[in-house]
Coordinates of all heavy atoms in Angstrom, one line a residue:
M1 N 69.5 100.7 86.3 CA 69.5 99.2 86.3 C 68.2 98.6 85.9 O 67.9 97.5 86.2 CB 69.9 98.7 87.7 CG 71.4 98.9 88.0 SD 72.0 98.2 89.6 CE 71.2 96.7 89.7
T2 N 67.4 99.4 85.3 CA 66.1 98.8 84.8 C 66.3 97.7 83.8 O 67.1 97.8 82.9 CB 65.3 99.9 84.2 OG1 66.1 101.0 83.9 CG2 64.1 100.4 85.0
G3 N 65.5 96.7 84.0 CA 65.5 95.6 83.0 C 66.6 94.6 83.3 O 66.7 93.5 82.6
K4 N 67.5 94.8 84.3 CA 68.6 93.9 84.6 C 68.1 93.0 85.8 O 67.7 93.5 86.8 CB 69.9 94.6 84.9 CG 70.4 95.3 83.7 CD 71.9 95.6 83.9 CE 72.3 96.4 82.7 NZ 73.6 96.0 82.1
K5 N 68.3 91.7 85.6 CA 67.9 90.8 86.7 C 69.1 90.7 87.6 O 70.2 90.6 87.2 CB 67.5 89.5 86.1 CG 66.3 89.5 85.3 CD 65.9 88.1 84.8 CE 64.7 88.2 84.0 NZ 64.3 86.9 83.4
I6 N 68.8 90.7 88.9 CA 69.8 90.6 89.9 C 69.4 89.4 90.9 O 68.3 89.3 91.2 CB 69.9 91.9 90.8 CG1 70.4 93.1 89.9 CG2 70.9 91.7 91.9 CD1 70.4 94.4 90.7
K7 N 70.4 88.7 91.2 CA 70.2 87.6 92.2 C 71.2 87.7 93.3 O 72.3 88.2 93.1 CB 70.2 86.2 91.6 CG 71.5 85.9 90.9 CD 71.4 84.5 90.2 CE 72.6 84.2 89.4 NZ 72.6 82.9 88.7
I8 N 70.9 87.3 94.5 CA 71.8 87.3 95.6 C 72.3 85.9 95.7 O 71.6 84.9 95.7 CB 71.1 87.7 96.9 CG1 70.6 89.2 96.8 CG2 72.0 87.6 98.1 CD1 69.8 89.6 98.0
A9 N 73.7 85.8 95.8 CA 74.3 84.5 95.9 C 75.1 84.4 97.2 O 75.7 85.3 97.6 CB 75.2 84.4 94.7
V10 N 75.0 83.2 97.8 CA 75.8 82.9 98.9 C 77.1 82.2 98.5 O 76.9 81.1 97.8 CB 75.0 82.1 100.0 CG1 75.9 81.8 101.2 CG2 73.8 82.8 100.4
P11 N 78.3 82.7 98.7 CA 79.5 82.0 98.2 C 79.6 80.6 98.8 O 79.1 80.3 99.9 CB 80.6 82.9 98.6 CG 80.0 83.8 99.7 CD 78.6 83.8 99.5
D12 N 80.4 79.8 98.1 CA 80.7 78.4 98.6 C 81.4 78.4 99.9 O 81.2 77.6 100.8 CB 81.6 77.7 97.5 CG 80.8 77.4 96.2 OD1 79.6 77.4 96.3 OD2 81.5 77.2 95.2
Q13 N 82.3 79.4 100.1 CA 83.1 79.5 101.3 C 82.4 80.6 102.2 O 81.7 81.5 101.7 CB 84.5 79.9 101.0 CG 85.2 78.9 100.1 CD 86.6 79.4 99.7 OE1 87.1 80.4 100.2 NE2 87.2 78.8 98.8
E14 N 82.7 80.5 103.4 CA 82.1 81.5 104.4 C 82.7 82.9 104.0 O 83.9 83.1 103.7 CB 82.5 81.2 105.8 CG 81.9 82.1 106.8 CD 82.2 81.8 108.2 OE1 82.5 80.6 108.5 OE2 82.2 82.6 109.1
G15 N 81.8 83.9 103.9 CA 82.3 85.2 103.5 C 81.1 86.1 103.3 O 80.0 85.9 103.8
Q16 N 81.3 87.1 102.4 CA 80.3 88.1 102.2 C 79.3 87.6 101.2 O 79.6 86.9 100.3 CB 80.9 89.4 101.7 CG 81.9 90.0 102.6 CD 82.5 91.3 102.0 OE1 82.3 91.6 100.9 NE2 83.3 92.0 102.9
V17 N 78.0 88.1 101.3 CA 77.0 87.8 100.3 C 77.3 88.7 99.1 O 77.7 89.8 99.3 CB 75.6 88.1 100.9 CG1 74.5 88.0 99.8 CG2 75.3 87.1 102.1
S18 N 77.1 88.2 97.9 CA 77.4 89.0 96.8 C 76.2 89.1 95.9 O 75.4 88.2 95.8 CB 78.6 88.4 96.0 OG 78.3 87.1 95.6
L19 N 76.1 90.3 95.2 CA 75.1 90.5 94.2 C 75.6 90.0 92.8 O 76.7 90.4 92.5 CB 74.7 92.0 94.1 CG 74.0 92.5 95.4 CD1 73.8 94.0 95.2 CD2 72.7 91.8 95.7
M20 N 74.8 89.3 92.1 CA 75.2 88.8 90.8 C 74.2 89.2 89.8 O 73.0 89.2 90.0 CB 75.4 87.3 90.8 CG 76.5 86.8 91.7 SD 76.7 85.0 91.7 CE 75.7 84.4 90.5
F21 N 74.6 89.6 88.6 CA 73.7 89.9 87.5 C 73.4 88.5 86.8 O 74.0 87.5 87.2 CB 74.3 90.9 86.5 CG 74.4 92.2 87.0 CD1 75.6 92.7 87.6 CD2 73.4 93.1 87.0 CE1 75.7 93.9 88.2 CE2 73.4 94.4 87.6 CZ 74.6 94.8 88.1
S22 N 72.5 88.5 85.9 CA 72.0 87.2 85.4 C 73.1 86.5 84.6 O 73.1 85.3 84.4 CB 70.8 87.5 84.4 OG 71.2 88.4 83.4
R23 N 74.2 87.2 84.2 CA 75.3 86.5 83.6 C 76.6 86.9 84.4 O 76.7 88.0 84.9 CB 75.5 87.0 82.1 CG 74.3 86.7 81.3 CD 74.6 87.1 79.9 NE 73.4 87.0 79.1 CZ 73.4 87.2 77.8 NH1 74.4 87.4 77.1 NH2 72.2 87.1 77.2
G24 N 77.6 86.0 84.3 CA 78.8 86.3 85.0 C 78.7 86.3 86.5 O 77.8 85.7 87.1
G25 N 79.7 86.9 87.1 CA 79.6 87.0 88.6 C 80.8 86.2 89.2 O 81.7 85.7 88.5
P26 N 80.9 86.2 90.5 CA 82.0 85.6 91.2 C 82.1 84.1 90.9 O 81.1 83.4 90.9 CB 81.8 85.8 92.6 CG 80.4 86.4 92.8 CD 79.9 86.8 91.4
R27 N 83.3 83.6 90.6 CA 83.5 82.2 90.3 C 84.7 81.7 91.1 O 85.6 82.5 91.3 CB 83.8 81.9 88.8 CG 82.7 82.3 87.9 CD 83.1 82.2 86.4 NE 84.3 82.9 86.1 CZ 84.5 84.2 85.9 NH1 83.6 85.0 86.1 NH2 85.7 84.6 85.5
A28 N 84.7 80.5 91.5 CA 85.8 80.0 92.3 C 87.1 80.0 91.4 O 87.0 79.7 90.2 CB 85.6 78.5 92.7
G29 N 88.2 80.6 91.9 CA 89.4 80.7 91.1 C 89.5 81.9 90.2 O 90.5 82.1 89.6
A30 N 88.5 82.7 90.2 CA 88.5 83.9 89.3 C 89.3 85.0 90.0 O 89.4 85.1 91.3 CB 87.1 84.4 89.0
G31 N 89.8 85.9 89.3 CA 90.5 87.1 89.8 C 92.0 87.0 89.8 O 92.6 86.0 89.4
R32 N 92.6 88.1 90.2 CA 94.1 88.1 90.2 C 94.6 87.2 91.3 O 94.2 87.1 92.4 CB 94.5 89.5 90.5 CG 96.1 89.7 90.5 CD 96.5 91.1 90.8 NE 96.0 92.0 89.8 CZ 96.1 93.3 89.8 NH1 96.6 93.9 90.8 NH2 95.7 94.0 88.8
K33 N 95.6 86.4 90.9 CA 96.2 85.4 91.8 C 97.2 86.2 92.7 O 98.0 87.0 92.3 CB 97.0 84.3 91.1 CG 96.1 83.6 90.1 CD 94.9 83.0 90.8 CE 94.0 82.3 89.8 NZ 92.7 82.7 89.6
G34 N 97.3 85.9 94.0 CA 98.2 86.5 94.9 C 99.6 86.0 94.8 O 99.8 84.9 94.3
I35 N 100.6 86.8 95.1 CA 102.0 86.4 95.0 C 102.5 86.1 96.4 O 103.7 85.7 96.5 CB 102.8 87.5 94.3 CG1 102.8 88.8 95.1 CG2 102.4 87.8 92.9 CD1 103.8 89.8 94.7
G36 N 101.8 86.3 97.4 CA 102.3 86.0 98.8 C 101.3 86.6 99.8 O 100.1 86.9 99.5
E37 N 101.7 86.7 101.0 CA 100.9 87.1 102.1 C 101.0 88.7 102.2 O 102.1 89.2 102.1 CB 101.5 86.5 103.4 CG 100.6 86.8 104.6 CD 101.1 86.1 105.8 OE1 102.0 85.2 105.7 OE2 100.7 86.5 106.9
T38 N 99.9 89.3 102.4 CA 99.8 90.8 102.4 C 99.7 91.2 103.9 O 98.9 90.7 104.6 CB 98.6 91.3 101.7 OG1 98.7 91.0 100.3 CG2 98.5 92.9 101.8
K39 N 100.7 92.1 104.3 CA 100.7 92.7 105.6 C 100.9 94.2 105.4 O 101.7 94.6 104.6 CB 101.8 92.1 106.5 CG 101.5 90.7 106.8 CD 102.5 90.2 107.8 CE 102.2 88.7 108.2 NZ 103.0 88.3 109.3
K40 N 100.1 95.0 106.1 CA 100.2 96.4 106.0 C 101.4 96.9 106.9 O 101.6 96.5 108.0 CB 98.9 97.1 106.5 CG 97.7 96.7 105.7 CD 97.9 97.0 104.2 CE 96.6 96.5 103.5 NZ 96.8 96.6 102.1
V41 N 102.2 97.8 106.3 CA 103.3 98.4 107.0 C 103.3 99.9 106.9 O 103.1 100.4 105.8 CB 104.7 97.8 106.4 CG1 105.9 98.4 107.1 CG2 104.7 96.3 106.6
S42 N 103.7 100.6 107.9 CA 103.8 102.0 107.9 C 105.3 102.3 107.8 O 106.1 101.8 108.6 CB 103.2 102.7 109.1 OG 103.4 104.1 109.1
L43 N 105.7 103.1 106.8 CA 107.1 103.4 106.6 C 107.4 104.9 106.6 O 106.7 105.7 105.9 CB 107.5 102.8 105.2 CG 108.9 102.8 104.7 CD1 109.8 102.1 105.7 CD2 109.0 102.3 103.3
T44 N 108.3 105.3 107.4 CA 108.7 106.7 107.5 C 110.0 106.9 106.9 O 111.0 106.3 107.2 CB 108.8 107.2 109.0 OG1 107.5 106.9 109.6 CG2 109.1 108.6 109.1
L45 N 110.1 107.8 105.8 CA 111.3 108.1 105.1 C 111.4 109.6 104.9 O 110.4 110.3 105.0 CB 111.3 107.4 103.7 CG 111.1 105.9 103.7 CD1 110.9 105.4 102.3 CD2 112.4 105.2 104.3
T46 N 112.6 110.1 104.6 CA 112.7 111.5 104.3 C 112.0 111.8 103.0 O 111.8 110.9 102.2 CB 114.2 111.9 104.2 OG1 114.8 111.2 103.1 CG2 115.0 111.5 105.5
K47 N 111.8 113.1 102.8 CA 111.1 113.5 101.6 C 112.0 113.2 100.4 O 111.5 112.8 99.3 CB 110.9 115.0 101.6 CG 110.2 115.5 100.3 CD 109.7 116.9 100.4 CE 109.1 117.5 99.1 NZ 109.1 116.7 97.9
Q48 N 113.3 113.3 100.5 CA 114.3 113.0 99.4 C 114.2 111.5 99.0 O 114.2 111.2 97.9 CB 115.7 113.4 99.8 CG 116.0 114.8 100.0 CD 115.5 115.4 101.3 OE1 115.2 114.7 102.2 NE2 115.3 116.8 101.3
V49 N 114.1 110.6 100.0 CA 114.0 109.2 99.7 C 112.6 108.9 99.1 O 112.6 108.1 98.1 CB 114.2 108.4 101.0 CG1 113.9 106.9 100.8 CG2 115.5 108.6 101.6
W50 N 111.5 109.5 99.5 CA 110.2 109.3 98.9 C 110.3 109.8 97.5 O 109.7 109.1 96.6 CB 109.1 110.0 99.7 CG 108.6 109.3 100.9 CD1 108.7 109.7 102.2 CD2 108.0 108.0 100.9 NE1 108.2 108.7 103.0 CE2 107.7 107.7 102.3 CE3 107.7 107.1 99.9 CZ2 107.1 106.5 102.6 CZ3 107.0 105.9 100.3 CH2 106.8 105.6 101.7
D51 N 110.9 111.0 97.2 CA 111.0 111.5 95.9 C 111.8 110.5 95.0 O 111.4 110.3 93.8 CB 111.7 112.9 95.9 CG 110.8 114.0 96.5 OD1 109.6 113.7 96.7 OD2 111.3 115.0 96.9
E52 N 112.9 110.0 95.5 CA 113.7 109.0 94.7 C 112.9 107.8 94.4 O 112.9 107.2 93.3 CB 115.0 108.7 95.4 CG 115.9 107.7 94.7 CD 116.3 108.1 93.3 OE1 116.3 109.4 93.0 OE2 116.5 107.2 92.4
L53 N 112.1 107.3 95.4 CA 111.3 106.1 95.2 C 110.3 106.4 94.1 O 110.1 105.5 93.2 CB 110.6 105.7 96.5 CG 109.6 104.6 96.5 CD1 110.3 103.3 96.0 CD2 108.9 104.4 97.8
E54 N 109.6 107.5 94.2 CA 108.6 107.8 93.2 C 109.2 108.0 91.8 O 108.6 107.6 90.8 CB 107.8 109.1 93.6 CG 106.9 108.8 94.8 CD 106.2 110.0 95.3 OE1 106.4 111.1 94.8 OE2 105.5 109.9 96.4
N55 N 110.4 108.5 91.7 CA 111.2 108.7 90.5 C 111.4 107.3 89.9 O 111.2 107.1 88.7 CB 112.5 109.5 90.7 CG 113.2 109.6 89.4 OD1 112.7 110.1 88.4 ND2 114.5 109.3 89.4
R56 N 111.9 106.4 90.7 CA 112.2 105.0 90.2 C 111.0 104.3 89.8 O 111.0 103.6 88.8 CB 112.9 104.2 91.3 CG 114.3 104.6 91.6 CD 114.9 103.7 92.6 NE 116.2 104.2 93.0 CZ 117.2 103.5 93.6 NH1 117.0 102.2 93.8 NH2 118.3 104.0 93.9
C57 N 109.8 104.6 90.4 CA 108.6 104.0 90.0 C 108.2 104.5 88.6 O 107.8 103.7 87.8 CB 107.5 104.3 91.0 SG 107.7 103.5 92.6
S58 N 108.3 105.8 88.4 CA 107.8 106.4 87.1 C 108.8 105.9 86.0 O 108.3 105.7 84.9 CB 107.7 107.9 87.2 OG 109.0 108.5 87.5
V59 N 110.1 105.8 86.3 CA 111.0 105.4 85.2 C 110.8 104.0 84.9 O 110.8 103.6 83.7 CB 112.5 105.7 85.7 CG1 113.5 104.9 84.8 CG2 112.8 107.1 85.8
S60 N 110.6 103.1 85.9 CA 110.4 101.7 85.6 C 109.0 101.3 85.3 O 108.8 100.2 84.8 CB 110.9 100.9 86.9 OG 110.0 101.2 88.0
G61 N 108.0 102.1 85.5 CA 106.6 101.8 85.3 C 106.1 100.8 86.3 O 105.1 100.1 86.0
L62 N 106.7 100.7 87.5 CA 106.3 99.8 88.5 C 105.6 100.5 89.6 O 105.9 101.7 89.8 CB 107.5 99.0 89.1 CG 108.3 98.2 88.1 CD1 109.6 97.6 88.7 CD2 107.4 97.0 87.5
S63 N 104.9 99.8 90.4 CA 104.2 100.5 91.6 C 105.2 100.6 92.7 O 106.3 99.9 92.7 CB 103.0 99.6 92.1 OG 103.5 98.4 92.6
K64 N 104.9 101.3 93.8 CA 105.8 101.5 94.9 C 106.0 100.1 95.6 O 107.1 99.7 96.0 CB 105.2 102.4 95.9 CG 105.3 103.9 95.5 CD 104.7 104.8 96.6 CE 104.6 106.2 96.0 NZ 103.5 106.9 96.5
S65 N 104.9 99.3 95.7 CA 105.0 98.0 96.3 C 106.0 97.1 95.5 O 106.8 96.4 96.1 CB 103.6 97.3 96.3 OG 102.8 97.9 97.2
E66 N 105.9 97.2 94.2 CA 106.8 96.4 93.3 C 108.3 96.8 93.5 O 109.2 95.9 93.7 CB 106.4 96.4 91.9 CG 105.1 95.7 91.6 CD 104.6 96.0 90.2 OE1 104.6 97.2 89.8 OE2 104.2 95.1 89.5
V67 N 108.5 98.1 93.6 CA 109.9 98.6 93.7 C 110.5 98.2 95.1 O 111.6 97.7 95.2 CB 110.0 100.1 93.5 CG1 111.4 100.7 93.8 CG2 109.7 100.4 92.0
I68 N 109.7 98.5 96.1 CA 110.1 98.2 97.5 C 110.3 96.7 97.7 O 111.3 96.2 98.3 CB 109.1 98.8 98.5 CG1 109.1 100.3 98.5 CG2 109.4 98.3 99.9 CD1 108.0 101.0 99.3
R69 N 109.4 95.9 97.1 CA 109.5 94.4 97.2 C 110.8 94.0 96.6 O 111.6 93.2 97.1 CB 108.3 93.7 96.5 CG 108.4 92.2 96.6 CD 107.2 91.5 95.9 NE 105.9 92.2 96.2 CZ 105.2 92.8 95.3 NH1 105.6 92.9 94.1 NH2 104.0 93.4 95.6
G70 N 111.1 94.5 95.4 CA 112.4 94.2 94.7 C 113.6 94.6 95.6 O 114.6 93.8 95.6
M71 N 113.6 95.7 96.2 CA 114.7 96.2 97.0 C 114.9 95.2 98.3 O 116.0 94.9 98.6 CB 114.5 97.6 97.5 CG 114.5 98.6 96.5 SD 114.1 100.2 97.2 CE 114.5 101.3 95.9
I72 N 113.8 94.9 98.9 CA 113.8 94.0 100.1 C 114.4 92.6 99.6 O 115.2 92.1 100.3 CB 112.5 93.9 100.7 CG1 112.1 95.2 101.4 CG2 112.5 92.8 101.8 CD1 110.7 95.3 101.9
E73 N 113.8 92.1 98.6 CA 114.3 90.8 98.1 C 115.7 90.8 97.7 O 116.5 89.9 98.1 CB 113.4 90.3 96.9 CG 112.0 89.9 97.4 CD 111.1 89.6 96.2 OE1 111.4 89.9 95.0 OE2 109.9 89.1 96.5
A74 N 116.2 91.8 97.0 CA 117.6 91.9 96.6 C 118.5 92.0 97.9 O 119.5 91.3 98.0 CB 117.8 93.1 95.7
S75 N 118.1 92.8 98.9 CA 118.8 92.9 100.1 C 118.9 91.6 100.9 O 120.0 91.2 101.4 CB 118.2 94.0 101.0 OG 118.8 94.0 102.2
L76 N 117.8 90.9 100.9 CA 117.8 89.6 101.7 C 118.6 88.5 100.9 O 119.2 87.6 101.6 CB 116.3 89.1 101.9 CG 115.5 90.0 102.8 CD1 114.0 89.5 102.8 CD2 116.1 90.0 104.2
N77 N 118.6 88.6 99.6 CA 119.4 87.6 98.8 C 120.9 87.8 98.9 O 121.6 86.9 98.6 CB 118.9 87.6 97.4 CG 117.5 87.0 97.2 OD1 117.1 86.1 98.0 ND2 116.8 87.4 96.2
N78 N 121.3 89.1 99.2 CA 122.7 89.4 99.3 C 123.3 89.1 100.7 O 124.5 89.3 100.9 CB 122.9 90.9 99.0 CG 122.7 91.1 97.5 OD1 122.9 90.2 96.7 ND2 122.4 92.3 97.1
T79 N 122.5 88.7 101.6 CA 123.0 88.4 103.0 C 123.5 87.0 103.2 O 123.2 86.1 102.5 CB 122.0 88.8 104.1 OG1 120.8 87.9 103.8 CG2 121.6 90.2 104.0

């Protein structure tokens, strides 16, 4: 990191102090926008179900979260 200027910035909102290079850095509104509220869940399934889930993920090109979210939403919409 020789020759690069670093400054410490305090964010507008309460939070962590961040290191910024002389250009760029954290900006209000930057980054991926959330699609909802995140909560951590532990899920126990049989190996066969996990294998099928991983197969569906690889075929569809989606993450486990995306596939599970789709299944939950479809189930809730059918009730």
Side-chain angles (χ1 to χ4, degrees):
M1 288 186 36
T2 15
K4 296 201 182 221
K5 294 181 181 179
I6 298 176
K7 59 184 176 181
I8 297 177
V10 179
D12 294 337
Q13 301 173 9
E14 185 176 334
Q16 298 178 354
V17 173
S18 59
L19 295 177
M20 295 180 8
F21 291 94
S22 58
R23 297 184 193 190
R27 299 173 311 283
R32 182 180 296 175
K33 306 301 179 241
I35 62 168
E37 185 176 345
T38 300
K39 293 189 178 189
K40 303 297 179 191
V41 176
S42 178
L43 184 61
T44 302
L45 301 170
T46 64
K47 180 171 181 352
Q48 292 79 16
V49 174
W50 280 118
D51 290 344
E52 179 58 28
L53 176 63
E54 290 174 3
N55 181 52
R56 288 187 188 198
C57 292
S58 64
V59 167
S60 65
L62 300 172
S63 69
K64 287 180 187 146
S65 292
E66 291 169 314
V67 172
I68 293 170
R69 183 182 313 113
M71 291 175 174
I72 292 171
E73 289 172 349
S75 174
L76 293 175
N77 289 333
N78 287 334
T79 59

